[in-house]
Amino acid sequence: MIWDWGYAFEILPAMASASVVTLEITVAGFAVAALLGLVWAVIGLLEIPAVSFAVRLGCEFVRSTPLLIQLFAVYYFLPGYGIVLPAFLTGVVVLGVHYSAYCAEVYRSGFLQVPKGQWEAAIALNLGTRDVLARIILPQAVPPVILPLGNYFVALFKETPVLLAITIIELVATARIIGNDTFRYTEPVTLAGAFFLVLSLAAAQAVRYLDHRMALRTRISRA
């Protein structure tokens, strides 16, 4: 038989354990991406001389270079200059920084949806920049971009197999190791694909639910 259920159930605990590692990296990496992306977007919004230009240039550089090259640069090249990071931390940081460049564009689109009159009214009321962002701009700009941010969360999740290049044993790496040890790849690879499918669908559904709740709350607040 091509598929052996007994063998599949035997390796299932190892695959499930590896999926936890994948989820941990995904959640931590996206937390970094969402936070840094917001920082980059706010700096761009404020048009700070030199700083805003440097941030836009940095984001463009990150988006224009492969994620794998960025991983190699941090994990293999930086130790030559005395900067050594554990593999897990490297994966979280590189994934987070990489996707923060994309999240920044999502936040920027949210900022553009806020009418300019909101800024003018805030200035007329003599509110500080921090108060304007926290009380007026962000509450209006963030809810509409929940869905595209969630799409990047799912995309980041599906990028985690590339971390095999820096020795992180996540879901796909575990499937490969099991296959190499037993010379049976059908079950581990299929289980890895099944885990990715189920978790991706669950994450997408959760994002849609959150987007619906935020949209409903926004409509209620405006009523």
Side-chain angles (χ1 to χ4, degrees):
M1 293 179 61
I2 297 177
W3 178 269
D4 185 340
W5 282 105
Y7 176 60
F9 282 116
E10 180 183 339
I11 64 174
L12 186 59
M15 299 298 296
S17 178
S19 71
V20 173
V21 176
T22 299
L23 284 175
E24 288 174 345
I25 293 174
T26 300
V27 172
F30 189 75
V32 173
L35 180 59
L36 280 182
L38 181 59
V39 172
W40 307 148
V42 169
I43 291 175
L45 181 68
L46 297 179
E47 291 294 343
I48 303 172
V51 177
S52 295
F53 174 77
V55 166
R56 283 194 291 268
L57 187 63
C59 287
E60 187 63 33
F61 174 80
V62 168
R63 287 194 297 266
S64 302
T65 52
L67 175 60
L68 186 59
I69 297 299
Q70 295 167 15
L71 283 168
F72 281 159
V74 174
Y75 191 70
Y76 293 111
F77 299 159
L78 289 186
Y81 298 92
I83 303 174
V84 180
L85 297 177
F88 187 93
L89 180 59
T90 299
V92 169
V93 170
V94 173
L95 281 172
V97 172
H98 184 83
Y99 274 88
S100 72
Y102 295 96
C103 290
E105 286 299 303
V106 174
Y107 286 122
R108 189 177 72 86
S109 69
F111 290 148
L112 292 177
Q113 296 182 42
V114 180
K116 291 184 178 180
Q118 300 282 348
W119 283 99
E120 297 170 356
I123 293 173
L125 292 172
N126 200 30
L127 293 177
T129 301
R130 181 180 299 177
D131 288 333
V132 174
L133 288 170
R135 299 181 181 180
I136 299 174
I137 304 302
L138 290 180
Q140 298 181 74
V142 172
V145 301
I146 292 296
L147 191 57
L149 284 176
N151 291 337
Y152 279 123
F153 175 83
V154 175
L156 188 153
F157 170 63
K158 291 188 288 188
E159 285 266 30
T160 53
V162 75
L163 300 180
L164 173 63
I166 58 171
T167 72
I168 293 181
I169 308 302
E170 42 68 62
L171 193 54
V172 174
T174 300
R176 180 179 178 182
I177 291 172
I178 292 174
N180 289 342
D181 289 342
T182 62
F183 298 101
R184 298 192 60 167
Y185 292 92
T186 301
E187 291 86 354
V189 171
T190 302
L191 286 176
F195 272 107
F196 270 102
L197 177 62
V198 171
L199 294 174
S200 294
L201 291 176
Q205 186 62 34
V207 168
R208 283 194 291 269
Y209 174 77
L210 180 60
D211 179 64
H212 174 72
R213 293 286 297 180
M214 294 293 288
L216 182 61
R217 182 177 299 179
T218 300
R219 286 197 297 269
I220 293 174
S221 65
R222 291 177 178 176

Coordinates of all heavy atoms in Angstrom, one line a residue, residues 163-219:
L163 N 12.6 28.3 7.1 CA 13.5 28.4 8.3 C 14.3 27.1 8.4 O 15.3 27.1 9.3 CB 12.7 28.6 9.6 CG 11.9 29.9 9.6 CD1 11.1 30.0 10.9 CD2 12.8 31.1 9.4
L164 N 14.0 26.1 7.7 CA 14.9 24.9 7.6 C 16.3 25.3 7.3 O 17.2 24.6 7.7 CB 14.3 23.9 6.6 CG 15.1 22.7 6.3 CD1 15.3 21.8 7.6 CD2 14.5 21.8 5.2
A165 N 16.4 26.3 6.5 CA 17.8 26.8 6.1 C 18.7 27.2 7.2 O 19.9 27.2 7.1 CB 17.6 27.9 5.0
I166 N 18.0 27.6 8.4 CA 18.8 28.0 9.5 C 18.6 27.0 10.7 O 18.7 27.4 11.8 CB 18.5 29.4 10.0 CG1 17.0 29.6 10.3 CG2 18.9 30.4 8.9 CD1 16.7 30.9 11.0
T167 N 18.3 25.7 10.3 CA 18.3 24.6 11.3 C 17.1 24.6 12.2 O 17.1 23.8 13.2 CB 19.6 24.5 12.1 OG1 19.6 25.5 13.1 CG2 20.8 24.6 11.2
I168 N 16.1 25.3 11.9 CA 14.9 25.3 12.8 C 14.0 24.1 12.4 O 13.7 23.9 11.2 CB 14.0 26.6 12.7 CG1 14.8 27.7 13.3 CG2 12.7 26.4 13.4 CD1 14.1 29.1 13.3
I169 N 13.7 23.2 13.3 CA 13.0 22.0 13.0 C 11.5 22.3 13.2 O 10.9 22.0 14.2 CB 13.4 20.8 13.9 CG1 15.0 20.7 13.8 CG2 12.8 19.5 13.5 CD1 15.5 20.5 12.4
E170 N 10.9 22.8 12.1 CA 9.4 23.1 12.2 C 8.7 21.9 11.5 O 9.2 20.8 11.3 CB 9.1 24.5 11.6 CG 9.9 24.8 10.3 CD 9.5 24.0 9.2 OE1 8.3 24.1 8.8 OE2 10.3 23.3 8.6
L171 N 7.5 22.2 11.0 CA 6.7 21.1 10.5 C 7.2 20.4 9.2 O 7.3 19.2 9.2 CB 5.3 21.8 10.1 CG 4.1 20.8 9.9 CD1 4.0 19.8 11.0 CD2 2.8 21.6 9.7
V172 N 7.6 21.2 8.2 CA 8.2 20.6 7.0 C 9.5 19.9 7.3 O 9.8 18.9 6.7 CB 8.3 21.6 5.9 CG1 8.9 21.1 4.7 CG2 6.9 22.1 5.5
A173 N 10.3 20.6 8.1 CA 11.6 20.0 8.4 C 11.5 18.6 9.1 O 12.2 17.7 8.9 CB 12.4 20.9 9.3
T174 N 10.5 18.6 10.0 CA 10.2 17.3 10.7 C 9.8 16.2 9.7 O 10.2 15.1 9.8 CB 9.1 17.5 11.8 OG1 9.6 18.5 12.7 CG2 8.8 16.2 12.5
A175 N 8.9 16.6 8.8 CA 8.5 15.6 7.8 C 9.6 15.1 7.0 O 9.7 13.9 6.7 CB 7.4 16.3 6.9
R176 N 10.5 16.0 6.7 CA 11.7 15.6 5.9 C 12.6 14.7 6.7 O 13.1 13.7 6.1 CB 12.5 16.9 5.5 CG 13.7 16.6 4.6 CD 14.4 17.9 4.3 NE 15.7 17.6 3.5 CZ 16.5 18.6 3.1 NH1 16.2 19.8 3.3 NH2 17.6 18.2 2.4
I177 N 12.8 15.0 8.0 CA 13.7 14.2 8.8 C 13.1 12.8 8.9 O 13.8 11.7 8.8 CB 13.9 14.8 10.2 CG1 14.7 16.1 10.1 CG2 14.5 13.8 11.2 CD1 14.8 16.9 11.3
I178 N 11.8 12.7 9.2 CA 11.1 11.4 9.3 C 11.2 10.6 8.0 O 11.5 9.4 8.0 CB 9.6 11.6 9.7 CG1 9.5 12.1 11.1 CG2 8.9 10.3 9.6 CD1 8.1 12.5 11.5
G179 N 11.0 11.3 6.9 CA 11.2 10.6 5.6 C 12.6 10.1 5.3 O 12.8 9.0 4.8
N180 N 13.6 10.9 5.7 CA 15.0 10.5 5.5 C 15.3 9.3 6.4 O 16.1 8.4 6.0 CB 15.9 11.7 5.9 CG 15.9 12.8 4.8 OD1 15.4 12.6 3.7 ND2 16.3 14.0 5.2
D181 N 14.7 9.3 7.6 CA 15.0 8.2 8.5 C 14.4 6.9 8.1 O 14.9 5.8 8.3 CB 14.6 8.5 9.9 CG 15.5 9.6 10.6 OD1 16.6 9.8 10.1 OD2 15.0 10.2 11.6
T182 N 13.2 6.9 7.5 CA 12.4 5.7 7.2 C 12.3 5.5 5.7 O 11.8 4.4 5.4 CB 11.0 5.9 7.8 OG1 10.3 7.0 7.2 CG2 11.0 6.1 9.3
F183 N 12.7 6.4 4.9 CA 12.6 6.3 3.5 C 11.1 6.2 3.0 O 10.8 5.6 2.0 CB 13.4 5.1 2.9 CG 14.9 5.2 3.2 CD1 15.5 4.5 4.2 CD2 15.7 6.0 2.4 CE1 16.8 4.6 4.5 CE2 17.0 6.2 2.7 CZ 17.6 5.5 3.7
R184 N 10.3 6.7 3.9 CA 8.8 6.8 3.5 C 8.4 8.3 3.7 O 8.4 8.8 4.8 CB 8.0 5.9 4.5 CG 8.4 4.5 4.4 CD 7.3 3.6 5.1 NE 6.0 3.8 4.5 CZ 5.0 3.0 4.8 NH1 5.1 1.9 5.6 NH2 3.8 3.2 4.2
Y185 N 8.1 8.9 2.5 CA 7.8 10.3 2.5 C 6.3 10.6 2.4 O 5.9 11.7 2.7 CB 8.6 11.0 1.4 CG 10.1 11.0 1.6 CD1 10.9 10.0 1.1 CD2 10.7 12.1 2.3 CE1 12.3 10.0 1.3 CE2 12.1 12.1 2.5 CZ 12.8 11.1 2.0 OH 14.2 11.1 2.2
T186 N 5.6 9.7 1.9 CA 4.2 9.9 1.6 C 3.4 10.4 2.8 O 2.7 11.4 2.8 CB 3.5 8.7 1.0 OG1 4.2 8.3 -0.2 CG2 2.0 9.0 0.7
E187 N 3.5 9.6 3.9 CA 2.7 10.0 5.1 C 3.2 11.3 5.8 O 2.4 12.1 6.0 CB 2.8 8.8 6.1 CG 2.0 7.6 5.7 CD 2.8 6.7 4.8 OE1 4.0 7.0 4.4 OE2 2.4 5.6 4.5
P188 N 4.5 11.5 6.0 CA 4.9 12.7 6.7 C 4.7 13.9 5.9 O 4.2 15.0 6.4 CB 6.4 12.5 7.0 CG 6.9 11.4 6.1 CD 5.7 10.5 5.9
V189 N 4.9 13.9 4.6 CA 4.7 15.0 3.7 C 3.2 15.3 3.6 O 2.8 16.5 3.7 CB 5.3 14.8 2.3 CG1 4.9 15.9 1.4 CG2 6.8 14.8 2.4
T190 N 2.4 14.3 3.5 CA 0.9 14.5 3.4 C 0.4 15.1 4.7 O -0.4 16.0 4.7 CB 0.2 13.2 3.1 OG1 0.7 12.7 1.9 CG2 -1.3 13.4 3.0
L191 N 0.9 14.6 5.9 CA 0.5 15.1 7.2 C 0.9 16.6 7.3 O 0.1 17.4 7.9 CB 1.0 14.3 8.3 CG 0.4 12.9 8.5 CD1 1.1 12.1 9.6 CD2 -1.1 13.1 8.9
A192 N 2.1 16.9 6.9 CA 2.5 18.3 6.9 C 1.6 19.2 6.1 O 1.2 20.3 6.6 CB 4.0 18.4 6.4
G193 N 1.3 18.7 4.9 CA 0.4 19.5 4.1 C -1.0 19.6 4.7 O -1.6 20.7 4.7
A194 N -1.5 18.6 5.4 CA -2.8 18.6 6.0 C -2.8 19.6 7.2 O -3.7 20.3 7.4 CB -3.1 17.2 6.5
F195 N -1.7 19.6 8.0 CA -1.6 20.5 9.1 C -1.6 22.0 8.6 O -2.3 22.8 9.1 CB -0.3 20.3 9.9 CG -0.4 19.3 11.0 CD1 0.1 18.0 10.9 CD2 -1.1 19.6 12.2 CE1 0.0 17.1 11.9 CE2 -1.2 18.7 13.2 CZ -0.7 17.4 13.1
F196 N -0.8 22.2 7.5 CA -0.8 23.6 7.0 C -2.2 24.0 6.5 O -2.6 25.1 6.7 CB 0.2 23.7 5.9 CG 1.6 24.1 6.3 CD1 2.6 23.1 6.4 CD2 1.9 25.4 6.6 CE1 3.9 23.5 6.9 CE2 3.1 25.8 7.0 CZ 4.1 24.8 7.2
L197 N -2.9 23.0 5.8 CA -4.2 23.3 5.3 C -5.2 23.7 6.4 O -5.9 24.7 6.4 CB -4.7 22.2 4.5 CG -6.1 22.3 3.9 CD1 -6.2 23.5 2.9 CD2 -6.6 21.0 3.2
V198 N -5.2 22.8 7.4 CA -6.2 23.0 8.5 C -5.9 24.3 9.3 O -6.8 25.1 9.6 CB -6.2 21.8 9.5 CG1 -7.0 22.1 10.7 CG2 -6.7 20.6 8.7
L199 N -4.6 24.5 9.6 CA -4.3 25.7 10.4 C -4.5 27.0 9.6 O -4.9 28.0 10.1 CB -2.8 25.6 10.9 CG -2.6 24.4 11.9 CD1 -1.1 24.3 12.2 CD2 -3.3 24.7 13.2
S200 N -4.2 26.9 8.3 CA -4.4 28.1 7.4 C -5.9 28.4 7.3 O -6.3 29.6 7.4 CB -3.8 27.8 6.0 OG -2.4 27.7 6.0
L201 N -6.7 27.4 7.1 CA -8.1 27.6 7.1 C -8.7 28.2 8.4 O -9.5 29.1 8.4 CB -8.9 26.4 6.7 CG -8.6 25.9 5.3 CD1 -9.3 24.5 5.1 CD2 -9.2 26.9 4.2
A202 N -8.2 27.6 9.5 CA -8.6 28.1 10.8 C -8.2 29.5 11.0 O -9.0 30.4 11.6 CB -8.0 27.2 11.9
A203 N -7.0 29.9 10.7 CA -6.5 31.3 10.8 C -7.3 32.2 9.9 O -7.7 33.3 10.4 CB -5.0 31.3 10.5
A204 N -7.6 31.8 8.7 CA -8.3 32.7 7.8 C -9.8 32.9 8.3 O -10.3 34.0 8.3 CB -8.4 32.0 6.4
Q205 N -10.4 31.9 8.9 CA -11.7 32.0 9.4 C -11.7 32.9 10.7 O -12.6 33.7 10.8 CB -12.2 30.6 9.8 CG -13.7 30.6 10.3 CD -14.6 31.1 9.2 OE1 -14.4 30.8 8.0 NE2 -15.7 31.8 9.6
A206 N -10.6 32.8 11.5 CA -10.5 33.7 12.7 C -10.4 35.1 12.3 O -10.9 36.0 12.9 CB -9.4 33.2 13.5
V207 N -9.6 35.3 11.2 CA -9.4 36.7 10.7 C -10.7 37.3 10.2 O -11.0 38.5 10.5 CB -8.3 36.7 9.6 CG1 -8.3 38.1 8.9 CG2 -6.9 36.4 10.3
R208 N -11.4 36.5 9.4 CA -12.7 37.0 8.9 C -13.7 37.3 10.0 O -14.4 38.3 10.0 CB -13.3 35.9 8.0 CG -12.7 35.9 6.6 CD -13.5 35.1 5.6 NE -13.5 33.7 5.9 CZ -12.6 32.8 5.4 NH1 -11.7 33.3 4.6 NH2 -12.7 31.6 5.8
Y209 N -13.7 36.5 11.1 CA -14.6 36.7 12.2 C -14.2 38.0 12.9 O -15.0 38.8 13.3 CB -14.5 35.5 13.2 CG -15.2 35.8 14.5 CD1 -16.6 35.6 14.6 CD2 -14.5 36.1 15.7 CE1 -17.3 35.9 15.7 CE2 -15.2 36.3 16.9 CZ -16.6 36.2 16.9 OH -17.3 36.4 18.1
L210 N -12.9 38.2 13.1 CA -12.4 39.4 13.8 C -12.7 40.6 12.9 O -13.1 41.7 13.5 CB -10.9 39.3 14.0 CG -10.2 40.5 14.7 CD1 -10.8 40.8 16.1 CD2 -8.7 40.3 14.8
D211 N -12.5 40.5 11.6 CA -12.9 41.6 10.7 C -14.4 42.0 10.8 O -14.7 43.1 10.8 CB -12.5 41.2 9.3 CG -12.8 42.3 8.3 OD1 -12.3 43.4 8.4 OD2 -13.7 42.1 7.4
H212 N -15.2 40.9 10.9 CA -16.6 41.2 11.0 C -17.0 41.8 12.3 O -17.8 42.8 12.3 CB -17.4 39.8 10.9 CG -18.9 39.9 11.1 ND1 -19.7 40.5 10.2 CD2 -19.6 39.5 12.2 CE1 -20.9 40.4 10.6 NE2 -20.9 39.9 11.8
R213 N -16.4 41.4 13.4 CA -16.6 42.0 14.7 C -16.2 43.5 14.7 O -16.9 44.3 15.2 CB -15.9 41.2 15.8 CG -16.4 39.8 16.0 CD -17.7 39.8 16.7 NE -17.6 40.3 18.0 CZ -18.7 40.4 18.9 NH1 -19.9 40.0 18.5 NH2 -18.5 40.9 20.1
M214 N -15.0 43.8 14.2 CA -14.5 45.1 14.1 C -15.4 46.0 13.3 O -15.7 47.2 13.7 CB -13.1 45.1 13.6 CG -12.1 44.5 14.5 SD -11.9 45.3 16.1 CE -10.9 46.7 15.6
A215 N -15.9 45.5 12.1 CA -16.7 46.3 11.3 C -18.1 46.6 12.0 O -18.6 47.7 11.9 CB -17.0 45.5 10.0
L216 N -18.6 45.5 12.7 CA -19.9 45.7 13.4 C -19.7 46.7 14.5 O -20.6 47.6 14.7 CB -20.3 44.4 14.0 CG -21.6 44.3 14.7 CD1 -22.8 44.7 13.8 CD2 -21.9 43.0 15.3
R217 N -18.6 46.7 15.2 CA -18.4 47.6 16.3 C -18.2 49.1 15.8 O -18.7 50.0 16.4 CB -17.1 47.2 17.1 CG -16.8 48.1 18.2 CD -15.6 47.7 19.0 NE -15.8 46.3 19.5 CZ -14.8 45.7 20.2 NH1 -13.6 46.2 20.4 NH2 -15.1 44.5 20.7
T218 N -17.6 49.2 14.6 CA -17.4 50.5 14.0 C -18.8 51.1 13.6 O -19.1 52.3 13.8 CB -16.5 50.4 12.8 OG1 -15.2 49.9 13.2 CG2 -16.3 51.8 12.1
R219 N -19.6 50.2 13.0 CA -21.0 50.7 12.6 C -21.8 51.1 13.8 O -22.5 52.1 13.7 CB -21.7 49.6 11.8 CG -21.2 49.4 10.4 CD -22.1 48.6 9.5 NE -22.3 47.3 10.1 CZ -21.6 46.2 9.7 NH1 -20.7 46.3 8.8 NH2 -21.9 45.0 10.2

